[in-house]
PDB file of all heavy atoms in Angstrom:
ATOM      1  N   VAL A  26      -6.546  11.744  18.564  1.00 91.00           N
ATOM      2  CA  VAL A  26      -6.090  12.967  18.013  1.00 91.00           C
ATOM      3  C   VAL A  26      -6.743  13.226  16.652  1.00 91.00           C
ATOM      4  O   VAL A  26      -7.246  12.358  16.033  1.00 91.00           O
ATOM      5  CB  VAL A  26      -4.503  13.056  17.817  1.00 91.00           C
ATOM      6  CG1 VAL A  26      -3.812  12.868  19.199  1.00 91.00           C
ATOM      7  CG2 VAL A  26      -4.067  12.022  16.860  1.00 91.00           C
ATOM      8  N   SER A  27      -6.701  14.489  16.271  1.00 92.00           N
ATOM      9  CA  SER A  27      -7.264  14.919  14.980  1.00 92.00           C
ATOM     10  C   SER A  27      -6.229  14.543  13.868  1.00 92.00           C
ATOM     11  O   SER A  27      -5.101  14.875  13.976  1.00 92.00           O
ATOM     12  CB  SER A  27      -7.559  16.418  14.975  1.00 92.00           C
ATOM     13  OG  SER A  27      -7.837  16.830  13.660  1.00 92.00           O
ATOM     14  N   GLN A  28      -6.728  14.043  12.805  1.00 90.00           N
ATOM     15  CA  GLN A  28      -5.841  13.680  11.673  1.00 90.00           C
ATOM     16  C   GLN A  28      -5.357  15.001  10.984  1.00 90.00           C
ATOM     17  O   GLN A  28      -4.498  14.969  10.210  1.00 90.00           O
ATOM     18  CB  GLN A  28      -6.536  12.779  10.696  1.00 90.00           C
ATOM     19  CG  GLN A  28      -6.657  11.365  11.188  1.00 90.00           C
ATOM     20  CD  GLN A  28      -7.274  10.418  10.212  1.00 90.00           C
ATOM     21  OE1 GLN A  28      -8.420  10.760   9.706  1.00 90.00           O
ATOM     22  NE2 GLN A  28      -6.673   9.285   9.975  1.00 90.00           N
ATOM     23  N   ASP A  29      -6.085  16.080  11.307  1.00 93.00           N
ATOM     24  CA  ASP A  29      -5.696  17.425  10.716  1.00 93.00           C
ATOM     25  C   ASP A  29      -4.585  18.130  11.501  1.00 93.00           C
ATOM     26  O   ASP A  29      -4.199  19.142  11.184  1.00 93.00           O
ATOM     27  CB  ASP A  29      -6.919  18.322  10.659  1.00 93.00           C
ATOM     28  CG  ASP A  29      -8.011  17.752   9.782  1.00 93.00           C
ATOM     29  OD1 ASP A  29      -7.659  17.101   8.757  1.00 93.00           O
ATOM     30  OD2 ASP A  29      -9.194  18.071  10.004  1.00 93.00           O
ATOM     31  N   ASP A  30      -4.160  17.468  12.593  1.00 93.00           N
ATOM     32  CA  ASP A  30      -3.055  18.044  13.449  1.00 93.00           C
ATOM     33  C   ASP A  30      -1.828  17.264  13.291  1.00 93.00           C
ATOM     34  O   ASP A  30      -1.690  16.190  14.033  1.00 93.00           O
ATOM     35  CB  ASP A  30      -3.556  18.083  14.956  1.00 93.00           C
ATOM     36  CG  ASP A  30      -2.575  18.763  15.833  1.00 93.00           C
ATOM     37  OD1 ASP A  30      -1.393  19.000  15.380  1.00 93.00           O
ATOM     38  OD2 ASP A  30      -2.958  19.104  17.008  1.00 93.00           O
ATOM     39  N   PRO A  31      -0.898  17.569  12.328  1.00 92.00           N
ATOM     40  CA  PRO A  31       0.296  16.767  12.177  1.00 92.00           C
ATOM     41  C   PRO A  31       1.158  16.493  13.392  1.00 92.00           C
ATOM     42  O   PRO A  31       1.769  15.509  13.578  1.00 92.00           O
ATOM     43  CB  PRO A  31       1.043  17.493  11.018  1.00 92.00           C
ATOM     44  CG  PRO A  31       0.268  18.681  10.665  1.00 92.00           C
ATOM     45  CD  PRO A  31      -1.015  18.745  11.519  1.00 92.00           C
ATOM     46  N   GLU A  32       1.266  17.593  14.208  1.00 93.00           N
ATOM     47  CA  GLU A  32       2.038  17.479  15.484  1.00 93.00           C
ATOM     48  C   GLU A  32       1.487  16.435  16.341  1.00 93.00           C
ATOM     49  O   GLU A  32       2.289  15.584  16.872  1.00 93.00           O
ATOM     50  CB  GLU A  32       2.201  18.828  16.059  1.00 93.00           C
ATOM     51  CG  GLU A  32       3.162  18.825  17.258  1.00 93.00           C
ATOM     52  CD  GLU A  32       3.366  20.154  17.825  1.00 93.00           C
ATOM     53  OE1 GLU A  32       3.407  21.200  17.085  1.00 93.00           O
ATOM     54  OE2 GLU A  32       3.356  20.280  19.097  1.00 93.00           O
ATOM     55  N   ALA A  33       0.187  16.497  16.565  1.00 91.00           N
ATOM     56  CA  ALA A  33      -0.470  15.530  17.441  1.00 91.00           C
ATOM     57  C   ALA A  33      -0.339  14.128  16.870  1.00 91.00           C
ATOM     58  O   ALA A  33      -0.133  13.152  17.572  1.00 91.00           O
ATOM     59  CB  ALA A  33      -1.897  15.877  17.674  1.00 91.00           C
ATOM     60  N   MET A  34      -0.522  13.983  15.566  1.00 90.00           N
ATOM     61  CA  MET A  34      -0.408  12.635  14.926  1.00 90.00           C
ATOM     62  C   MET A  34       0.997  12.057  15.099  1.00 90.00           C
ATOM     63  O   MET A  34       1.175  10.900  15.378  1.00 90.00           O
ATOM     64  CB  MET A  34      -0.710  12.825  13.449  1.00 90.00           C
ATOM     65  CG  MET A  34      -2.224  12.958  13.132  1.00 90.00           C
ATOM     66  SD  MET A  34      -3.221  11.533  13.569  1.00 90.00           S
ATOM     67  CE  MET A  34      -2.697  10.435  12.257  1.00 90.00           C
ATOM     68  N   ALA A  35       2.053  12.921  15.007  1.00 90.00           N
ATOM     69  CA  ALA A  35       3.461  12.461  15.117  1.00 90.00           C
ATOM     70  C   ALA A  35       3.709  12.047  16.576  1.00 90.00           C
ATOM     71  O   ALA A  35       4.322  11.002  16.783  1.00 90.00           O
ATOM     72  CB  ALA A  35       4.417  13.664  14.759  1.00 90.00           C
ATOM     73  N   VAL A  36       3.164  12.743  17.531  1.00 90.00           N
ATOM     74  CA  VAL A  36       3.318  12.368  18.961  1.00 90.00           C
ATOM     75  C   VAL A  36       2.616  11.011  19.155  1.00 90.00           C
ATOM     76  O   VAL A  36       3.198  10.177  19.820  1.00 90.00           O
ATOM     77  CB  VAL A  36       2.827  13.420  19.868  1.00 90.00           C
ATOM     78  CG1 VAL A  36       2.697  12.940  21.340  1.00 90.00           C
ATOM     79  CG2 VAL A  36       3.685  14.677  19.815  1.00 90.00           C
ATOM     80  N   MET A  37       1.383  10.880  18.692  1.00 87.00           N
ATOM     81  CA  MET A  37       0.669   9.608  18.831  1.00 87.00           C
ATOM     82  C   MET A  37       1.367   8.491  18.282  1.00 87.00           C
ATOM     83  O   MET A  37       1.445   7.433  18.810  1.00 87.00           O
ATOM     84  CB  MET A  37      -0.766   9.805  18.367  1.00 87.00           C
ATOM     85  CG  MET A  37      -1.725   8.666  18.654  1.00 87.00           C
ATOM     86  SD  MET A  37      -1.728   7.402  17.333  1.00 87.00           S
ATOM     87  CE  MET A  37      -2.134   8.287  15.887  1.00 87.00           C
ATOM     88  N   GLN A  38       1.884   8.641  17.007  1.00 87.00           N
ATOM     89  CA  GLN A  38       2.563   7.576  16.281  1.00 87.00           C
ATOM     90  C   GLN A  38       3.818   7.188  16.978  1.00 87.00           C
ATOM     91  O   GLN A  38       4.184   6.000  16.998  1.00 87.00           O
ATOM     92  CB  GLN A  38       2.769   7.997  14.851  1.00 87.00           C
ATOM     93  CG  GLN A  38       1.472   8.254  14.102  1.00 87.00           C
ATOM     94  CD  GLN A  38       1.367   7.618  12.759  1.00 87.00           C
ATOM     95  OE1 GLN A  38       2.341   7.045  12.270  1.00 87.00           O
ATOM     96  NE2 GLN A  38       0.198   7.589  12.226  1.00 87.00           N
ATOM     97  N   ALA A  39       4.462   8.139  17.649  1.00 91.00           N
ATOM     98  CA  ALA A  39       5.749   7.866  18.292  1.00 91.00           C
ATOM     99  C   ALA A  39       5.401   7.093  19.598  1.00 91.00           C
ATOM    100  O   ALA A  39       6.267   6.358  20.138  1.00 91.00           O
ATOM    101  CB  ALA A  39       6.518   9.088  18.641  1.00 91.00           C
ATOM    102  N   PRO A  82      -5.851   4.563  13.315  1.00 84.00           N
ATOM    103  CA  PRO A  82      -5.545   5.781  12.574  1.00 84.00           C
ATOM    104  C   PRO A  82      -5.409   7.006  13.461  1.00 84.00           C
ATOM    105  O   PRO A  82      -4.530   7.879  13.133  1.00 84.00           O
ATOM    106  CB  PRO A  82      -6.859   5.943  11.702  1.00 84.00           C
ATOM    107  CG  PRO A  82      -7.339   4.505  11.555  1.00 84.00           C
ATOM    108  CD  PRO A  82      -6.990   3.878  12.820  1.00 84.00           C
TER     109      PRO A  82
END
Side-chain angles (χ1 to χ4, degrees):
V26 299
S27 169
Q28 289 181 309
D29 297 330
D30 184 345
E32 186 175 318
M34 287 291 290
V36 168
M37 187 271 304
Q38 297 228 350

